[in-house]
């Protein structure tokens, strides 16, 4: 059973701060890692994907991957109230290409 | 940006009734998926569909569920005899070529309520 674990939160940060979201996964064969954002009552929306160890930056978002530790994280710099949402970590293996989702971490950015 | 369209947005049904959820994929996408999300829980994979056949399915996708693409446009999920525990948000997702780009485009979902 492939598991993707996330702290459900909520994680509360002040506007302008860095939000750090973490995810661990059980399948060592995992090759693709994704962060989706889901606003309440809405569908998931992909914000970052990462495939190799290290950091990947896209605007205010940085994804970090450590395959040895089976750990992936998402940093959001200069957090805005509009970033308040649930962030879903998803992981897939090369053989399946079917993303398995974690339960998500609720982020609240307060003014 | 192109969108995946799902209908209806809400469906209320009585236990034991059949429901059909519909999805119109993005036009050049080849891989289609159904996921569901029970309130407060994780997004769970149900089934994937490629080249007019099921390519993978989860343990959730039992004999009560079926999928088809009858007319080359709509991609449907049928639940033959709904149970209370089928109440969830059902998401259709599509992608162009999962070997090249694994980004899933999600539809806005169908909220299914089984009474």
């Amino acid at each position: 059973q492939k598991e993707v674990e996330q702290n459900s939160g909520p994680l509360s940060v002040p506007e302008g701060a860095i939000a750090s979201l973490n995810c661990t996964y059980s399948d060592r064969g995992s090759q693709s890692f994704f962060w989706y954002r889901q606003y309440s009552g809405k569908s998931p929306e992909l914000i970052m994907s990462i495939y190799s160890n290290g950091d990947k930056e896209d605007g205010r978002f940085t994804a970090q991957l450590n395959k040895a530790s089976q750990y992936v994280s998402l940093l959001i710099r200069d957090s805005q109230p509009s970033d308040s949402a649930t962030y879903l970590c998803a992981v897939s293996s090369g053989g399946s290409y079917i993303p398995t989702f974690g339960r998500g971490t609720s982020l609240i950015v307060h003014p | 940006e192109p969108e995946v369209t799902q209908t209806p947005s809400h469906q209320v049904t009585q236990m034991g009734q059949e429901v059909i959820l519909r999805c119109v994929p993005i036009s050049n996408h080849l891989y289609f998926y159904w996921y569901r999300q029970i309130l407060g829980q994780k997004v769970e994979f149900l089934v994937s569909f490629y080249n007019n056949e099921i390519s993978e399915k989860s343990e959730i996708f039992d004999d009560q569920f079926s999928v088809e693409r009858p007319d080359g446009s709509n991609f449907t999920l049928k639940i033959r005899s709904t149970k209370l525990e089928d109440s969830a948000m059902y998401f259709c997702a599509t992608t162009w070529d999962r070997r090249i780009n694994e980004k899933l485009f999600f539809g806005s979902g169908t909220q299914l309520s089984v009474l």
Side-chain angles (χ1 to χ4, degrees):
Chain A
Q1 182 81 359
K2 300 175 185 176
E3 297 289 342
V4 178
E5 299 292 339
Q6 296 180 256
N7 188 323
S8 61
L11 173 66
S12 181
V13 300
E15 184 174 356
I18 296 175
S20 178
L21 305 163
N22 304 314
C23 170
T24 59
Y25 58 94
S26 64
D27 182 8
R28 283 199 170 273
S30 300
Q31 297 184 7
S32 305
F33 307 87
F34 310 92
W35 284 100
Y36 284 79
R37 178 177 60 201
Q38 186 177 30
Y39 292 111
S40 180
K42 303 295 185 183
S43 57
E45 174 191 16
L46 182 70
I47 53 173
M48 289 286 289
S49 58
I50 187 166
Y51 303 95
S52 54
N53 280 329
D55 295 359
K56 179 181 177 183
E57 188 173 317
D58 183 1
R60 296 186 295 113
F61 299 97
T62 299
Q64 299 174 317
L65 175 62
N66 184 326
K67 289 186 178 180
S69 300
Q70 295 176 241
Y71 176 93
V72 59
S73 65
L74 179 71
L75 300 178
I76 306 175
R77 290 181 299 281
D78 188 25
S79 296
Q80 302 297 309
S82 58
D83 294 327
S84 298
T86 297
Y87 288 80
L88 311 178
C89 174
V91 175
S92 70
S93 64
S96 166
Y97 301 103
I98 306 294
T100 298
F101 286 82
R103 292 191 62 167
T105 298
S106 173
L107 172 66
I108 299 171
V109 181
H110 53 88
Chain B
E1 185 168 271
E3 289 185 346
V4 176
T5 305
Q6 287 187 244
T7 56
S9 56
H10 293 85
Q11 176 85 53
V12 181
T13 189
Q14 295 291 324
M15 190 169 55
Q17 295 297 304
E18 175 183 286
V19 295
I20 298 176
L21 311 183
R22 292 183 169 79
C23 168
V24 178
I26 295 171
S27 62
N28 62 343
H29 283 193
L30 302 177
Y31 293 84
F32 314 128
Y33 306 81
W34 284 102
Y35 281 84
R36 78 173 186 189
Q37 187 175 31
I38 296 170
L39 185 64
Q41 299 189 25
K42 63 174 67 177
V43 175
E44 299 175 292
F45 168 72
L46 296 178
V47 66
S48 62
F49 192 85
Y50 170 72
N51 200 25
N52 282 321
E53 62 183 24
I54 291 173
S55 47
E56 284 193 58
K57 59 183 181 179
S58 72
E59 292 176 352
I60 301 169
F61 194 88
D62 61 20
D63 292 343
Q64 294 299 313
F65 292 89
S66 63
V67 290
E68 64 176 0
R69 198 174 183 219
D71 56 9
S73 60
N74 286 289
F75 175 51
T76 63
L77 174 69
K78 181 192 289 186
I79 309 175
R80 288 189 185 81
S81 179
T82 50
K83 306 181 185 70
L84 296 176
E85 54 264 36
D86 294 327
S87 295
M89 179 74 90
Y90 287 80
F91 292 111
C92 174
T94 74
T95 193
W96 169 54
D97 184 334
R98 65 183 189 181
R99 295 162 298 176
I100 297 173
N101 184 347
E102 294 174 75
K103 175 180 178 179
L104 294 184
F105 292 78
F106 281 83
S108 56
T110 294
Q111 180 65 57
L112 176 65
S113 298
V114 182
L115 306 179

